Amino acid sequence: MTLGKSKTLIVQYTPRNERSSTKKILDAFIGEVKNSDIEKLDLAKDVPNFFLEKNLDAYIHRNYLGETLSAEQKNSMAKMDRMTEQLKSADIVVVAYPMNNFSMPAAVKAWFDSVMLKGQTWDVKNSGYVGLMNGKKALTLVSAGAIYAQEPMASMEHALSLTNLEFKFMGYSDVRGILADGMNADESVKLSNLEKSVKQAKSIAQEWYLQK
Ligand SMILES: Cc1cc2nc3c(=O)[nH]c(=O)nc-3n(C[C@H](O)[C@H](O)[C@H](O)COP(=O)(O)O)c2cc1C
């Protein structure tokens, strides 16, 4: 935590808006945030760039080869750099999205690709990988239609497991995740799993924001 008021970054992809189960869990978390500036990034509106010819070339030349970029090359990286600076400025990050095809939606993956820049959020030192986001906290909120508690479904879960891996790779000290599964199951299962996830989200927020 930095001295003074902390900053919480909410990164969300919930294009079903008020109908979104993911958003209900996120709203429960946000309702418990205390003494922290909240900044939001809506990935359904502010869509991250993919790595394509120009920006991938610029990224390699700048972040791997240490070269200075031309104005055009810099411009190709501007959105990724902005999203990376935003993430680096936050003490706590919460990423919320529904599972799509067993993993994270493309916009969320593009956000991770945008912010996982070598030399910014992770690096290579003494031929090993090091995360640069030590001391920070990360929470992922995922909702999914099917139930992943048991095999064979458990091994098909590549949403929360991947997000947790990405945050650990970046060096986050406290990495948590909630999977609200069964959202397309019977109404009673859906409601009970949703309620359980809402409680978990509130409890993590209460724990994090009471800490100084
Ligand atoms: C394009 C698409 C792909 C989906 N893929 C999966 C999937 O692979 N596994 C799963 O369990 N649910 C899948 N679902 C269901 C959603 O993850 C689930 O309904 C979720 O709770 C929706 O979240 P929301 O209410 O926040 O929009 C998919 C839904 C959509 C629209």
Side-chain angles (χ1 to χ4, degrees):
M1 284 280 174
T2 48
L3 286 174
K5 214 172 186 188
S6 73
K7 179 167 163 186
T8 301
L9 174 65
I10 308 288
V11 180
Q12 70 189 97
Y13 174 84
T14 53
R16 293 202 315 131
N17 300 314
E18 295 316 308
R19 296 171 65 208
S20 163
S21 302
T22 316
K23 187 175 177 297
K24 289 188 177 82
I25 305 163
L26 177 62
D27 287 346
F29 178 92
I30 292 172
E32 299 295 327
V33 173
K34 303 220 161 52
N35 270 323
S36 188
D37 289 325
I38 296 181
E39 192 171 307
K40 288 190 180 176
L41 173 61
D42 185 343
L43 298 178
K45 295 196 171 85
D46 192 356
V47 182
N49 284 344
F50 291 152
F51 268 125
L52 299 174
E53 281 177 25
K54 281 186 182 161
N55 58 354
L56 183 57
D57 186 67
Y59 172 53
I60 290 167
H61 279 87
R62 185 186 65 180
N63 295 56
Y64 281 81
L65 305 176
E67 294 173 13
T68 305
L69 300 185
S70 68
E72 193 195 348
Q73 285 175 311
K74 266 188 204 156
N75 192 39
S76 74
M77 286 297 297
K79 198 177 215 180
M80 289 186 166
D81 287 342
R82 190 239 300 163
M83 290 183 178
T84 304
E85 283 310 312
Q86 184 183 42
L87 177 64
K88 285 172 68 181
S89 73
D91 305 285
I92 294 178
V93 58
V94 181
V95 176
Y97 61 87
M99 182 188 285
N100 275 8
N101 300 313
F102 304 106
S103 187
M104 53 182 86
V108 181
K109 182 59 167 63
W111 178 78
F112 275 103
D113 289 347
S114 294
V115 299
M116 293 181 73
L117 300 186
K118 181 181 181 294
Q120 293 297 319
T121 51
W122 64 276
D123 215 337
V124 180
K125 290 206 174 117
N126 304 322
S127 56
Y129 295 115
V130 285
L132 301 177
M133 304 298 269
N134 306 300
K136 294 170 186 275
K137 297 175 165 67
L139 170 66
T140 304
L141 307 174
V142 182
S143 79
I147 296 175
Y148 293 86
Q150 289 173 355
E151 295 297 350
M153 295 307 288
S155 303
M156 297 182 184
E157 197 290 301
H158 301 287
L160 183 54
S161 55
L162 178 57
T163 314
N164 283 342
L165 185 157
E166 311 276 46
F167 282 128
K168 281 181 189 152
F169 186 78
M170 288 190 275
Y172 278 82
S173 301
D174 192 345
V175 176
R176 313 272 185 107
I178 298 174
L179 175 62
D181 60 359
M183 292 302 105
N184 294 346
D186 289 350
E187 195 65 9
S188 64
V189 173
K190 175 186 171 171
L191 289 178
S192 135
N193 287 7
L194 194 56
E195 193 185 335
K196 196 171 116 206
S197 299
V198 161
K199 274 191 191 149
Q200 283 176 331
K202 283 184 180 173
S203 147
I204 292 171
Q206 285 158 3
E207 180 192 332
W208 281 359
Y209 293 96
L210 289 179
Q211 280 176 6
K212 277 282 159 194

